[in-house]
């Protein structure tokens, strides 16, 4: 349930697809993995409304930057789609765009962030970063900074 203008809306949400669009790992030389905060995680979330299929698409790019070398170790780009029912009740059409309830956006971004962490864990297996502990992400910061397209 989502609180939208003091009115509870009941809906169903499911992940309809998860696609790794790109994973790149770069040869950048050696670095000390024992240092604290050796990797800077740069994340970008973009949300699109797919009205015709009753879905929300969240495209996420994460870049792993080795701070001591000032070079990128890798990049992951993932597209996740979520099917929302009843779509028109939850996602309101407004002039020039759509209104997505904040609680739904926070939930979506938390699911995406957790999925990204899992994909990175698998993709980095066998690399120098296989034991890296991924930082927690406060997705509320992304909600403040991004505008839904």
């Amino acid at each position: 349930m989502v609180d939208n203008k003091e009115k509870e809306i009941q809906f169903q949400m499911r992940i309809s697809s998860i696609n790794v669009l790109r994973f790149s790992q770069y040869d950048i030389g050696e670095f000390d993995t024992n240092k604290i905060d050796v990797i800077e995680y740069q994340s970008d979330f973009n949300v699109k409304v797919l009205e015709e299929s009753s879905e929300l698409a969240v495209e996420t790019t994460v870049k792993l930057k080795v701070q001591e070398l000032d070079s990128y170790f890798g990049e992951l780009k993932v597209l996740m789609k979520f099917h929302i029912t009843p779509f028109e009740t939850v996602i309101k059409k407004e002039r020039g765009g759509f209104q997505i309830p904040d609680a739904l956006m926070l939930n979506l971004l938390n699911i995406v962030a957790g999925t990204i962490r899992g994909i990175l864990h698998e993709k980095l297996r066998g690399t120098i970063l296989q034991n890296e502990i991924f930082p927690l992400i406060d997705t509320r910061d992304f909600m403040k900074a991004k505008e839904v397209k």
Side-chain angles (χ1 to χ4, degrees):
M1 286 188 248
V2 174
D3 184 25
N4 189 5
K5 297 181 182 175
E6 299 179 23
K7 179 181 160 190
E8 282 190 1
I9 300 171
Q10 296 215 357
F11 67 94
Q12 293 181 351
M13 175 182 75
R14 67 176 173 81
I15 297 172
S16 51
S17 67
I18 302 172
N19 294 308
V20 175
L21 302 176
R22 177 176 58 241
F23 177 74
S24 302
Q25 183 180 326
Y26 312 113
D27 186 15
I28 60 170
E30 295 191 21
F31 56 95
D32 184 3
T33 58
N34 294 321
K35 288 184 179 178
I36 295 175
D37 295 330
V38 68
I39 300 294
E40 176 184 311
Y41 295 88
Q42 300 173 350
S43 304
D44 184 41
F45 293 84
N46 290 304
V47 179
K48 294 183 181 168
V49 175
L50 307 174
E51 189 176 14
E52 63 283 349
S53 60
S54 300
E55 292 176 309
L56 294 176
V58 183
E59 186 176 275
T60 310
T61 302
V62 177
K63 294 181 180 181
L64 289 72
K65 184 176 184 180
V66 178
Q67 295 193 52
E68 73 180 67
L69 299 177
D70 196 29
S71 298
Y72 288 100
F73 180 84
E75 180 178 349
L76 174 66
K77 187 172 188 175
V78 174
L79 177 65
M80 288 186 69
K81 292 182 182 177
F82 299 86
H83 189 267
I84 310 293
T85 307
F87 188 80
E88 301 79 24
T89 304
V90 179
I91 311 301
K92 300 292 185 188
K93 204 175 219 183
E94 292 185 347
R95 51 188 160 138
F98 294 89
Q99 177 63 41
I100 302 171
D102 287 345
L104 175 58
M105 280 300 302
L106 186 60
N107 195 5
L108 290 176
L109 294 178
N110 279 323
I111 292 168
V112 168
T115 302
I116 293 288
R117 290 169 59 93
I119 293 170
L120 276 174
H121 177 75
E122 283 300 309
K123 294 287 188 184
L124 294 175
R125 190 175 293 200
T127 73
I128 194 169
L129 292 180
Q130 72 179 358
N131 295 321
E132 176 73 5
I133 298 173
F134 304 119
L136 296 176
I137 298 172
D138 187 351
T139 54
R140 292 174 293 191
D141 293 339
F142 290 105
M143 288 180 55
K144 293 174 191 170
K146 288 293 179 185
E147 180 179 306
V148 176
K149 295 178 180 179

